[in-house]
Amino acid sequence: MNYFLGITDIEQAKLRYRKLAKQLHPDKGGAAVDFQEMQAEYKEFLLRLQQEQKVITPLRKNTLEENELINELGRLAKVLIKKQVPQEYLRQKMQTADSPLKKGLFENIVNLLDSLQ
């Protein structure tokens, strides 16, 4: 059977599935075998569609506005690091950390941020 023949996107597939489920479900007078076959085809269709989209979907490029925002956030991060804002926060967290692992993690991050100055 080709229950989903001609369907090209997930929204169409969902609509077709709902319609077919109402017709084929055993509680609605359909045969259990037909309903199970339709469900299996639906799952296969969704997997195939997902794989195709992974291959076809190009990476979205940032808009000029997004690039400007990213650059501004980068400049802000550099200023904050230079002024020791995140380092001071992390030093406070180090003092209240409840495990040596967390303390060590905070210390390593502080050291990394200090090296970026």
Side-chain angles (χ1 to χ4, degrees):
M1 304 244 140
N2 285 314
Y3 293 108
F4 298 93
L5 192 62
I7 301 296
T8 57
D9 66 37
I10 196 163
E11 290 306 316
Q12 290 176 340
K14 286 179 183 179
L15 291 172
R16 176 77 56 90
Y17 176 84
R18 288 184 192 121
K19 181 179 178 183
L20 290 169
K22 288 177 185 176
Q23 294 172 355
L24 300 174
H25 196 280
D27 291 345
K28 301 290 183 180
V33 173
D34 292 339
F35 182 71
Q36 290 169 349
E37 186 178 291
M38 183 272 297
Q39 283 187 308
E41 188 177 317
Y42 180 63
K43 288 177 185 176
E44 288 176 32
F45 174 79
L46 291 179
L47 287 172
R48 189 174 63 247
L49 188 63
Q50 185 180 25
Q51 289 170 348
E52 288 172 3
Q53 287 179 347
K54 283 183 182 177
V55 172
I56 294 172
T57 304
L59 293 175
R60 185 181 73 81
K61 296 199 175 201
N62 292 338
T63 65
L64 180 61
E65 187 176 279
E66 288 170 328
N67 283 334
E68 288 174 359
L69 178 60
I70 289 168
N71 290 335
E72 185 62 31
L73 288 172
R75 286 190 289 274
L76 177 61
K78 288 178 185 176
V79 169
L80 291 174
I81 290 168
K82 194 176 253 187
K83 291 187 176 191
Q84 299 275 319
V85 172
Q87 292 93 317
E88 288 306 316
Y89 172 77
L90 292 171
R91 284 186 185 100
Q92 290 172 4
K93 294 296 270 179
M94 264 187 340
Q95 292 173 2
T96 60
D98 57 356
S99 76
L101 180 64
K102 286 182 182 179
K103 285 181 183 182
L105 180 62
F106 290 136
E107 184 177 359
N108 287 336
I109 295 171
V110 167
N111 292 337
L112 174 68
L113 292 173
D114 285 341
S115 72
L116 295 175
Q117 292 183 39

